[in-house]
Amino acid sequence: MEQPPISDYAFLSDCRSGALVGRDGSVDWWCPDRFDGSAVLARVLDPAAGHWRLAPLAPSRVERAYRPDTLVLRTVHHTPSGSVAVTDALAAEAGARGHELGMNSPAVLLRVVEGLTGRVRMGLDLAPRPEHGLLTPYLHEQADGSVLAAAGPAVLVLAGTGPALRADRDRVRQEFAVAAGETVGFTLAYAPAYGDPPVRLDPVAALTDTTRAWQAFRESHHYEGEYVPQVRHSAVVLTGLTYARSGAVAAALTTSLPERLGGDRNYDYRFSWLRDFAATMRALWVAACPEEASRLFAWAARSIGRIGDAPVPVLFGLEGERDLSEHDCLHLRGYADSRPVRLGNDAWRQRQLDVPGEVISAVWRLHEQLGDTLADELAEMVVGLADQVAVTWRLPDRGMWETRDADRHYLSSKVLCWVALNRAVALAPQLGGRADPRRWAATRDEIRATVLREGWNERVGAYTGAFGSPELDASALLLPLVRFADATDPRMRATIEAVERELGAGNGLVRRWSTDPAGFLLCSFWLVECLVLTGERDRARRLFEQLLGHANDVGLLPEQIDPGTGAHLGNTPQALSHIGLVNAAWRLTDPTTS
């Protein structure tokens, strides 16, 4: 099988794990235990690495959409002999409502086929391949008509409401017909090999209950601003990327989908980045998700732990794991032959000086809700981070784009060091006796003077990506967004114009740097915010609406967009892209927002 475009995929979630299902009816990615766990279906990374296709045998015209305010997907196939609807979801725990969603998800993939008109012959093809395609399981037909697949650490059970399922040597292949008014349901349930057996659910009843769980969850959130449908949907996507047990938000569902087809910039994004923390918190507050924001905050504080001399890691596992050592999966071809396929992410080892600024910004955002005095551990964390920044800000680092070559004095890192100390000074009355606002303020002012002197490149006429470098970097757009510089300041205005002119890739897209092959959606949404702050709201609105057009047919955004073809690139769905959408929509609603 050829691998479909990344934009063909829709996202299913039970707030424990996630799946990708294509327009062709094939589920090509599922890590059932947790987002950053081991895949049992991984065709998106190799045609031989496992899939579950459920679709008409005849060619069909496809229409699909999520049920409102859910990640329950309904795909309608129109064939010459009739039409059928296939509804897909990852099951919620029975009776879960509101913020219970995902706390005890049963790890069951639901697929229900409904005959709409005529009579349609369907094909089912399940090829489970646990451990990212390394294992081919034994298949066992069961007395109740189900098929059990077992290999290594995983057990899967495929069950249906139609005729008994039959196992081939290494897959389940079956044909059946559905007439108008008929319904056939299937479940694929996962369990660890050495524990309780997989849960058995009625697919139709479980699908109804899962839909109600999602809708009840969203009914408790009320966004009041511009672009309500897009913001609400992005909030649903962010909820779907949230690992409910801890509150951590995964940066993306997938690993190693390439930034450039055939290239090697293929990274594992199934973890939670502290760099994304403040922007994520802001987006959750904007989208009226205060409980999710508070749980994410608690997860970050616990994951960071006591501050020492070592740099704070930029990312953690979804339950706070720190060691995310990276290795290559040599047995996988990679999406569109883009190698290597990586599991883990060695960016956790890097020094990235912007991270404390993101964390302290999040505390500052919540300070009114946290009381007149912060809890001891939280106050100690802020003080420890501020003290660390005051000592280390002069060091070079790898920057927010996590370069894997040499350390440099990156502009955005220095600015976020300023942010860390500026916010810490503001929080000082709530931090107790260990706070040192006078020293922090003096260092903050020194950082500012250094950035204004070293960050500005007179020859380029803009703030550039690193001190002494002539290379523009879209991260300079952060300066007005974090209140370091006014967007109307002549130097800042010149920088915004230079980034738009030199790094603009067409179709509203902005690249991170000049050799970046594709438009980076987060940077593009930053430009929208900057244009609002310069007073160009009409142009900002046109740009924003142009960016909305890059979503696929079910409203999902990847990391990057090919400016020539419009193709989706990078891991998907990408949390930062949806966060950028939410924050830009709110900036268009209220330009004074912080």
Side-chain angles (χ1 to χ4, degrees):
M1 298 181 186
E2 292 185 1
Q3 290 166 293
I6 292 171
S7 59
D8 270 14
Y9 287 110
F11 170 42
L12 310 178
S13 173
D14 57 10
C15 297
R16 163 183 173 174
S17 66
L20 291 179
V21 55
R23 290 176 60 85
D24 61 354
S26 183
V27 179
D28 290 347
W29 181 254
W30 187 31
C31 300
D33 189 47
R34 52 187 259 182
F35 292 110
D36 54 354
S38 180
V40 297
L41 306 173
R43 178 185 170 224
V44 72
L45 295 176
D46 190 307
H51 66 276
W52 179 15
R53 190 170 190 269
L54 182 62
L57 294 173
S60 64
R61 177 173 59 85
V62 173
E63 299 174 326
R64 60 182 185 166
Y66 288 113
R67 290 181 173 173
D69 288 334
T70 76
L71 290 178
V72 176
L73 180 73
R74 187 173 189 265
T75 302
V76 178
H77 297 268
H78 300 283
T79 78
S81 64
S83 298
V84 297
V86 180
T87 304
D88 298 320
L90 285 171
E93 183 185 12
R97 295 293 182 269
H99 294 94
E100 298 169 353
L101 181 64
M103 291 298 184
N104 294 287
S105 298
V108 179
L109 182 53
L110 308 170
R111 311 197 76 178
V112 174
V113 184
E114 177 189 359
L116 300 179
T117 64
R119 183 178 177 83
V120 179
R121 289 203 60 78
M122 301 288 292
L124 181 154
D125 181 8
L126 170 66
R129 298 292 184 266
E131 287 213 61
H132 296 96
L134 273 175
L135 298 174
T136 301
Y138 291 103
L139 301 182
H140 305 279
E141 296 176 0
Q142 305 295 292
D144 62 359
S146 65
V147 173
L148 183 147
V155 174
L156 296 164
V157 173
L158 176 67
T161 61
L165 296 161
R166 299 302 178 198
D168 201 342
R169 183 171 180 272
D170 64 349
R171 64 209 304 145
V172 178
R173 280 199 181 106
Q174 199 131 330
E175 296 181 8
F176 59 97
V178 178
E182 293 181 344
T183 298
V184 180
F186 299 93
T187 61
L188 182 62
Y190 159 84
Y194 302 102
D196 294 333
V199 173
R200 302 299 291 270
L201 298 176
D202 176 270
V204 175
L207 186 62
T208 298
D209 201 41
T210 298
T211 301
R212 289 174 179 168
W214 275 101
Q215 290 175 337
F217 185 89
R218 291 309 310 162
E219 284 170 3
S220 63
H221 302 78
H222 303 286
Y223 166 74
E224 296 180 359
E226 299 194 33
Y227 301 98
V228 171
Q230 293 87 351
V231 170
R232 285 185 66 87
H233 183 57
S234 287
V236 170
V237 173
L238 291 175
T239 300
L241 289 170
T242 299
Y243 183 70
R245 295 176 181 175
S246 67
V249 177
L253 178 65
T254 55
T255 178
S256 300
L257 295 188
E259 297 179 10
R260 181 177 60 81
L261 297 184
D264 62 357
R265 289 183 58 83
N266 319 316
Y267 300 115
D268 194 346
Y269 278 10
R270 300 172 299 152
F271 311 111
S272 195
W273 265 253
L274 287 182
R275 170 178 299 107
D276 307 348
F277 190 52
T280 307
M281 292 280 290
R282 179 170 177 254
L284 291 173
W285 278 106
V286 165
C289 306
E291 183 164 332
E292 289 74 21
S294 297
R295 293 188 67 238
L296 173 62
F297 183 79
W299 167 84
R302 181 171 184 174
S303 298
I304 291 169
R306 189 180 296 276
I307 306 299
D309 294 332
V312 176
V314 67
L315 70 155
F316 291 91
L318 300 179
E319 293 184 355
E321 301 90 345
R322 185 169 289 209
D323 186 343
L324 303 175
S325 296
E326 182 179 296
H327 69 276
D328 294 349
C329 289
L330 300 179
H331 67 286
L332 293 173
R333 286 171 47 182
Y335 179 84
D337 291 319
S338 304
R339 297 184 181 90
V341 171
R342 295 181 171 99
L343 299 179
N345 196 309
D346 274 345
W348 75 274
R349 304 176 188 274
Q350 294 183 357
R351 179 171 63 239
Q352 297 181 22
L353 296 176
D354 60 319
V355 173
E358 300 287 1
V359 176
I360 297 176
S361 279
V363 179
W364 175 77
R365 185 171 298 282
L366 280 176
H367 74 280
E368 291 182 356
Q369 288 75 38
L370 295 172
D372 294 335
T373 303
L374 302 188
D376 289 345
E377 289 185 2
L378 183 55
E380 184 176 335
M381 180 186 76
V382 173
V383 170
L385 288 172
D387 285 344
Q388 186 179 91
V389 168
V391 171
T392 62
W393 74 270
R394 295 181 181 84
L395 297 174
D397 72 336
R398 294 298 174 92
M400 69 180 308
W401 306 129
E402 300 178 351
T403 58
R404 297 199 171 195
D405 48 10
D407 289 0
R408 295 179 177 86
H409 292 282
Y410 285 100
L411 176 80
S412 58
S413 296
K414 305 304 184 188
V415 169
L416 265 296
C417 286
W418 175 90
V419 168
L421 296 180
N422 191 52
R423 306 295 193 257
V425 169
L427 288 166
Q430 296 168 269
L431 297 177
R434 287 191 55 213
D436 194 353
R438 180 171 296 185
R439 180 169 63 91
W440 295 340
T443 306
R444 173 200 63 192
D445 295 343
E446 184 181 357
I447 296 172
R448 180 177 180 81
T450 302
V451 170
L452 294 175
R453 183 179 64 252
E454 303 293 339
W456 175 260
N457 188 299
E458 193 66 44
R459 183 166 60 85
V460 177
Y463 292 108
T464 54
F467 290 179
S469 170
E471 296 296 323
L472 287 169
D473 190 310
S475 62
L477 297 175
L478 282 172
L479 271 64
L481 304 187
V482 299
R483 299 183 176 184
F484 180 90
D486 193 299
T488 60
D489 173 85
R491 283 187 169 189
M492 193 65 237
R493 186 64 178 265
T495 301
I496 295 169
E497 292 173 355
V499 167
E500 185 175 16
R501 181 180 63 252
E502 302 296 333
L503 301 184
N507 298 318
L509 299 167
V510 175
R511 295 169 295 163
R512 286 170 293 181
W513 53 78
S514 61
T515 58
D516 203 6
F520 200 83
L521 282 166
L522 177 64
C523 299
S524 307
F525 285 117
W526 284 347
L527 178 59
V528 171
E529 292 200 64
C530 286
L531 291 177
V532 173
L533 294 175
T534 63
E536 299 177 85
R537 291 185 67 180
D538 289 344
R539 192 154 72 90
R541 189 179 306 280
R542 289 194 298 272
L543 175 59
F544 181 78
E545 293 177 357
Q546 199 170 11
L547 294 172
L548 294 180
H550 291 296
N552 71 356
D553 60 321
V554 289
L556 299 181
L557 292 170
E559 181 183 24
Q560 298 187 65
I561 300 290
D562 185 307
T565 66
H568 287 197
L569 294 170
N571 288 300
T572 194
Q574 177 75 213
L576 273 180
S577 297
H578 287 277
I579 288 164
L581 184 157
V582 172
N583 288 336
W586 187 247
R587 186 77 68 177
L588 284 162
T589 301
D590 180 7
T592 65
T593 189
S594 60

